[in-house]
Every structure is written in structure tokens, then in C-alpha cells.
Amino acid sequence: MRGLRWLILTVAHNLHLSCVSFCQSEVSAEGFCTWQRRMIEVLAGNALHGRGYVADGMGLAARAVADSFAAWGLKPPPFANTFLQPFRVSVNTFPDTVSLIWGRRKLVPGLDFHVQPECPGIRGTFRVRPLQPGKTLGKLRPGRDVVFLDYAAVGQDSLKRHLEKLENHYVAAGIPVIRISAKHLPWYPASSPSKNCVFTIHPRARDKITPIPRWVTLQVNAKFEPSLVCYNAMGYKPGRIADTFLVVTAHLDHLGRMGSEALYAGANDNASGTAMMMALAKAFATFLDTPRYSVLFVGFGAEELGLVGSQEFVKTYPGTLSSIRFLLNLDLMGGGDKGVTFVNGKAFPALAHLADSLNRQFAGLASIQHRDNAPNSDHYPFTIHGVPAVFLFAQGEGIAYHDVLDTAERLPMHNCPRLFEFIWRFLEALQKPLPASFLGQK
């Protein structure tokens, strides 16, 4: 534990001052991107267990981020007087064995298949009963039979819907289901277990499952955590106007481990956003003596479980909401070939126009797009309480999502300098006096 936190602090401190001059907002691609990639490698590394719900992965990440804030000279926010905000969640976890043996072939967890997150646990050898639309299987035996459905082999949407109804029927009857999906389905955590297991085979594993065997062996060791402690990590930079502050956020958690073999490391989602948020925190702490407005940096926990950390912040500190000048939430920052998108950007037409101008003048990202609001990241609990907030993510292709292939070495980080330059300029503009129309929601 001490060695891991020391490693993160060492990497976090190793942002060379000669590489970045924030007074002129000049960013060296080589210096800054080397630091950010290294931070992503640590955050998405094996030692943090995917920053999830097994082996205290999320807690390790939160404490390391809080330690970095403290080491840089940031303060605990005055309304909390602590760097860490604890809260509890209920979650179904898979701490060790998740196994699917297809006849005599062992499929690779995460890469070839995933188990539905609500699975309560299962163990045994089962007879495979393939199901096709329009045909019946007769009587099935709970504990002895498993139903196999091939969605990829069904072309019509009506037939797929029919298969879905049959799947739901067998799941409710206590019959395990193995299905191969027509497209890759992301994995998610679940807050509670169900009564039966569903295994999803990924389309990339299709060549491994022909022919269909008579028997399969399944084993899933599940552990339901009814009251698991998670954290938000917070760091505060006081400004001259102390009672008004900007907020920069990113969720520091990901999915973590599905058994001992599959690691959902979450390099893009959201080690990349956390690393960007930490770099901005380092910049404010090191290069600005006293900003005009105070700045709060927050790494939220349990975003993947349903925006839990941000909802806990709003619920615990409601008195702070009226003091927030603007909130910028960073997620999915590893790409950028197709530019960036502001979710809820359409609510701030004047600010959107300013962002477009800043990009043309300083950053040169491919495009700046603005969308309506959506409950897809940690900005949302703030927006429904009237706080001006947007969610910024980078667009690009070839990046895995909620997949074991979302790893640091696969991230195309060449747009990192443009992303940082744009975000820094945007925050710099928010530090200046702006007409009310800029921050007023449409």
C-alpha cells in the first residue's frame, strides 16, 4: 500500500516545470504527454485492480489522488475539512473464479465472455440446449440444463425480440443462459444479485464455440457487498473571491476485476480523465498563487454504479451548490481524433461560442460539438439542482469501452497537448469576469 501510493506521488510530482509554462499556457507535447501517459499506466495498472469494487481498488485510487492533492499544497475544501468523502454502496462482486469451459475448451474471461453482473454464483456441469426461434425445448431441468441462444445468427429484429422474451422466461425459471451477442456488449457493475446467471460470449470469440458441445462447465464465485466503503477525493485552491468557485471533476473508478483473470482496467474510462484532472490540479497548485475564483477538484467514486459519488456530494453538501460558478466534468479523454463534445453544451450558447473561438485560436481540435443534457456522467446530479455544468469527452475511434481491451498501451494519446491546451484556456476564461449570459442556462 505504501509502495503504491509512493509510486503515484512520484509520478504525479514528475511533471517537469520546464515543460509547461501556464502563465502563457504553452504546453510541451513531449513533457506533458509523457507524464499523463505514465499516470494513466499507474491508474490503469494491476496494482489498483481496475479501481473497482474488488481488493479495495477504488479506495486505493481515491487515497492516492487525495495524497497527491495534499502533496501539491491544495487544501481540503472548507465545507468538508477533509480530502476524502466516504460513502457506502451495495454491489455484487466477483473476487476470484469466473470460468466457462465450452466442451473441452476453456474460454478466456473478459476477452471471450463476461458474466452478467447480477449473477449470484453458480457451479456445475450442464447439458447444452440450443434454442432457435419457433422451436421449443421441452421440459428443462434447473441445475442440470443450460439454454444457448445465438443472437448473431438471427437477422430480423422481431426474431431477436422473440429470443429476448424466451431468455427472460428461462432466467426467471432458474435455468442458466449462455448467449452470443450480435455485437459487443459492454460490462457493467450491479448493485445487487439476481436469482440466476447469464453468460455473454463476445462476437470476437465466435470461432471458439463451433461446434456447440453437449456439455459445458460453469463456475462463478460471487460475493455480495451490502455496505462497501467508497470515497470521493477532493482538493481545494482558495481564490481571491473565496465564496465562489469553479469545480473540475472526473470519476476515478472503473469496473475492476471480474474474477482473478479478467481486469477491466479502464485506461480511457476514466484513468485518462482522472490524469487530466490531476494535471490541472497540479497546474493550479504550482503556477497560480491566487486565482480570481477558488477552484475545487473532485475525483468521484462509484460513477460506474450509477453516479453514486456525485449524488452523495450533492446530498451531503447542498449548501455549496449556489457557490459553484461552473462545473467541468472530464471523462473519456484518451482520444480526440474527431474533437470533443460538451454534453449540456447547448444550455450555454454564449459559452459554447467562446469554446469554439478558443479552440480555433489556441488548440486546433478537429471539432467542438455541443449536445443536450444527459445522465451519462457526474455532471448530471449538479445540473438537476440548477448548477451550471457540462461534461466534456474526447471523440475517437478504435478505443474499447467497458472492455478488458481498454488498456493504457492501446490509447492514442497524440491529441493530449491539444486537449490540455483547450481545457486550460477554457478554465482560464471562466476565471475572468464574464457577462451573465455566458453562464446562464438556456
Side-chain angles (χ1 to χ4, degrees), residues 164-374:
E164 290 173 355
K165 290 181 180 179
L166 292 174
E167 176 184 329
N168 293 333
H169 167 75
Y170 288 116
V171 168
I175 305 296
V177 170
I178 300 175
R179 63 185 183 182
I180 180 166
S181 59
K183 60 181 180 180
H184 175 73
L185 298 177
W187 193 53
Y188 291 89
S191 58
S192 61
S194 65
K195 296 182 179 180
N196 195 22
C197 277
V198 177
F199 292 76
T200 299
I201 297 176
H202 301 321
R204 59 189 174 220
R206 170 166 285 280
D207 60 338
K208 296 184 178 183
I209 64 168
T210 303
I212 299 174
R214 293 185 61 190
W215 302 92
V216 295
T217 301
L218 310 176
Q219 183 176 353
V220 175
N221 293 345
K223 182 182 180 182
F224 175 54
E225 299 279 5
S227 185
L228 186 70
V229 178
C230 300
Y231 301 93
N232 295 328
M234 305 178 289
Y236 187 78
K237 176 76 173 184
R240 296 192 300 276
I241 305 175
D243 59 351
T244 301
F245 52 92
L246 302 175
V247 184
V248 182
T249 70
H251 75 88
L252 52 81
D253 67 305
H254 193 56
L255 309 180
R257 296 195 178 275
M258 187 192 72
S260 57
E261 297 181 58
L263 176 65
Y264 290 79
N268 189 45
D269 184 17
N270 187 33
S272 65
T274 301
M276 182 70 77
M277 183 265 294
M278 293 176 70
L280 293 164
K282 172 74 171 176
F284 271 90
T286 305
F287 296 97
L288 292 179
D289 291 334
T290 308
R292 178 181 178 85
Y293 299 104
S294 301
V295 188
L296 174 67
F297 299 92
V298 187
F300 289 118
E303 187 264 4
E304 300 290 4
L305 200 58
L307 315 183
V308 180
S310 51
Q311 292 185 63
E312 286 292 327
F313 182 98
V314 169
K315 182 173 67 175
T316 305
Y317 309 117
T320 67
L321 302 183
S322 61
S323 298
I324 297 176
R325 177 174 171 83
F326 201 81
L327 183 145
L328 176 65
N329 179 54
L330 305 173
D331 203 346
L332 308 172
M333 302 300 295
D337 286 346
K338 294 187 175 182
V340 297
T341 294
F342 280 100
V343 177
N344 203 35
K346 287 186 176 181
F348 308 96
L351 199 62
H353 179 75
L354 174 62
D356 295 339
S357 175
L358 292 172
N359 180 52
R360 289 193 301 270
Q361 187 175 358
F362 298 109
L365 292 166
S367 70
I368 307 290
Q369 299 184 27
H370 304 278
R371 282 174 43 183
D372 291 324
N373 200 13

Side-chain angles (χ1 to χ4, degrees), residues 8 23 54 65 90 100 103 192 216 240 251 264 341 382 391 393 398-399 402 431 441:
I8 290 183
C23 294
V54 172
V65 171
S90 62
L100 169 54
S192 61
V216 295
R240 296 192 300 276
H251 75 88
Y264 290 79
T341 294
F382 293 88
F391 157 33
F393 70 90
I399 300 177
H402 281 220
Q431 281 285 341
Q441 300 190 54

Side-chain angles (χ1 to χ4, degrees), residues 66-89:
D67 285 349
S68 297
F69 288 160
W72 296 334
L74 295 176
K75 307 294 183 183
F79 54 82
N81 200 31
T82 179
F83 286 102
L84 289 170
Q85 178 196 359
F87 58 92
R88 294 182 179 273
V89 300

